[in-house]
Amino acid sequence: MLKTNSHGLRLSRKAIMLAAAAAIPQAALAEDLAAAQGAGESAAVADEQPSEEDIQSAKEIVVQGSIGFRNRSDSAEPILIYDEEYFQRFEPLTAGDALKRVPGVTFLSDVIESDGARLRGLDPGYTQILINGERVPGGQADRSFFLDRIPAELIEQVEIVRSSSARRTGDAVAGSLNFKLRDGFSLDGGYVRAGGLLFDDGEVKGTGGFYYGGALAGGRVLIGANIQGRYNPKEKTSLRFSDSPENNPDFFTEDFENREDQSDIRDGTDYAFNASWGIESETTRFEILGNYVRTERVEDERSFEYNDLTTIAGPVDGDDETEEVGLLTDNINVNDITTESWSVIGKLDHEWGFGETKLRVGYASFDDVQDEFEHEIDFDRGTPRFTGELFLQDTRDVEFFVNLEQEFDLGENIEFAIGGFLQNKDRDFFLGEVRSRFNLTAAARDYDQFSQSPLEFVPATFNPLEATADNSIAEDRRDLYALIEGEFDNLTFEAGVRWESTDVTVIDGLAGPGAPAITNDYDEFLPSASLKYEIGEGRITLSGARTLRRPQFDFLTPGLLREELGDNDFRGNPLLAPETAWGGDLGYEHKIGKTGVIGVNLFYRSVQNLIELTTELDANGVPVPGSADEPVLDENGVPIPGEGSRTFIFTPRNTGDGEVYGIEFDASFSLAFLGLPDTGVFGNLALLDSTITDEFGERRFNDQSRFVYNFGAIQNLPDYGVAFGATYRKQGEAFGRVVGEEVFTRFKGDLEVFVEKRIGDAFTIRAVGSNLLDGTKDEDFNKFNTVADQENRVFDEFEIESERAGPVFQVIARYAF
């Protein structure tokens, strides 16, 4: 069989899978479960029968006697493969943490967190996230999946898929990240994991897990469970000014308005479970797997706002005629978050005389519930005022899909495949708000912010709950695809086309009873081709593909959000079409020694139908004033269209084009050629750029860093059972611009080190220090009330914000049995 691109699936309904299993004799059932192959092969590569060599013993996983390097994929597509040996020694907590050592991935997360992966620096919505080769629903409005939902301990392999294939959905403008979880065909035996994490403020969090793989009922089974304590104590300082350095070099002393000191603690626990069972024969394989992740998290912020750059004092008296220095506001914000995601997938493959049939059936669910309250006392007024707000948010996303594919052998080295894909996706979103506001007595001037809290003034009753968003989106897809693939001497190739047909139905629950649903449909043809040519110890890869990005969910809802963009309003557009992109990758990689590799890759994307915010126009082509506008009236008291308008309603539309391009380098190899076979070095560098034009001029794609790099080394001392290593990571400044706000973001470099001791062939203990340079995230905010102000650089506010977190130390032990 050729090593072709696989399209794994997620089982949806147990009844369907039982029926499929009953349709063939048990003796004919088959192999690998988690939508991937044996160790070292890409999940984008076709399912292959696992051999005994593919199954790792638990002792091999726990006691790593050698250094892990980047693997090379045999598929035609440009794929970088990283086994757990590559990143495990630095003990990443989540899938996002594991990506810190692979090329071209940036984050805009808070310090010491890694949630929304930005492949090639682009918004997370441009990157396709796969688990075992299949897309997973995420709770973010841009359709992205936050990678802090996947514990790193469950991951067997990470793959960067730089281009696209007709076998996979085309939602991969920047590329795809595939996380292959362990299954019964990758682990024999079991091991336990336990440890603790020490944070900068003295907090200690525990972690533990149990994993077992072995024979069961004629097949192989894997069971894994993990519990992970999560904690992130941060300190923030914000300085706000009435003007910016671009207008006034002396802004720091002349335009100061206020300072905000904030503590921000993220405290939570992740619970994860995955299981798989598979059985195989020479011609048939059947596998079923499931995974479940639950996150319980509390985000607790306390902010004090002062009217002086350095002073800490009690409440001001609220008299505008005095210049008393002190506390302006005291704010407490607590968000209680519970997130659950789970999926079940079934796979059935059978070889006939005329080829191979592959069936994938899957069901996945994502549910995110947030209860957030914000209570504030404002002293900067004649009478102190208390404001209390409660926001209730519930996001639920479910998907059911079926994929059927038939492969035909056209010759000894050529295959032709056709397939169909059906997916029904439903997303429900609700956001409600409860608000209470009242004045306090003069005694509140004696308030002590260090011994008291705004919670003391919470009223016994609140106003009724008011829904601000309540919508449902149904997205039904029907895809067809075909491709041909083969091998000739040193050449491996694949070429195909995919047709994706999508029907979207949007229901706005706030539109009132009987309001009609809004429907939209679109079709896209997505051709793709890849080839790989072997030249001695090197190989050239060339790929081209058309991909797409579907509209954000919050852009599809038609309701009006008042003063959402500065003082401007926002209204969604359910008739949006997807963005599309033509792209290409050209790469070369060279093998170094037995395990090392060095590579370089050029990439380019031309993006059309960009979704950008534009002003809403009336029937006469005149901008519609926003809700905060004060119109100019004629002699009869009637507003004059377009006169005096300073705020508008903005809505997303398909308009304009953009380009993304860059170069990526990566290397990992031992120093055996220098006589140091137990020394491994690794590094990567991505230089990123793009161009796009919005209504304010030319810029890069929002929040794309200009570069990201990582390098490090691992030293193994086999005679002593000891290893140690270090890694350093840095990404460049990012800039983002939307209506009403512009943001510059900079991160400090991140240094991590580890030391491990192996005891016998079944026990390892490892100590890891991360964020050793006291990481910071620094942001400059340009804020404007109106579009005219933004064009003319008339600032509503200029803000400098700095966020800091201290080192984190881990001690983790594993024991194999």
Side-chain angles (χ1 to χ4, degrees), residues 767-789:
V768 180
S770 56
N771 195 40
L772 297 180
L773 301 179
D774 289 357
T776 62
K777 178 183 181 181
D778 299 309
E779 295 178 285
D780 297 343
F781 296 87
N782 298 336
K783 301 179 182 180
F784 309 91
N785 281 327
T786 68
V787 173
D789 287 349

Side-chain angles (χ1 to χ4, degrees), residues 116-148:
R118 307 175 63 89
L119 190 58
R120 289 162 170 171
L122 296 182
D123 184 90
Y126 286 104
T127 299
Q128 182 170 231
I129 302 298
L130 307 172
I131 296 180
N132 297 319
E134 295 301 330
R135 280 187 64 88
V136 289
Q140 307 309 306
D142 64 358
R143 300 171 181 263
S144 63
F145 184 90
F146 270 14
L147 296 178
D148 58 3

Side-chain angles (χ1 to χ4, degrees), residues 199-211:
F199 294 86
D200 188 39
D201 63 352
E203 182 78 12
V204 176
K205 289 289 185 180
T207 180
F210 170 85
Y211 311 90

Side-chain angles (χ1 to χ4, degrees), residues 13 95 113 122 173 178 226 231-232 291 331 369 381 389 392-393 456 472 507 611 615 666 679 767:
R13 311 241 162 114
E113 295 193 358
L122 296 182
V173 173
N178 181 51
N226 186 76
Y231 189 76
N232 185 4
N291 65 76
N331 179 287
V369 178
R381 50 186 296 112
E389 294 179 305
L392 305 177
Q393 177 178 309
E456 298 179 20
S472 298
I507 299 176
I611 298 175
T615 54
D666 79 282
T679 303

Side-chain angles (χ1 to χ4, degrees), residues 141-143 473 475 504 520 522 548-556 573-579 611 654:
D142 64 358
R143 300 171 181 263
I473 299 175
E475 196 172 76
V504 181
N520 185 27
Y522 47 85
L548 59 80
R549 180 191 182 182
R550 299 172 191 276
Q552 296 184 190
F553 289 117
D554 56 343
F555 281 8
L556 293 175
N573 179 5
L575 301 180
L576 288 171
E579 299 179 6
I611 298 175
N654 292 102

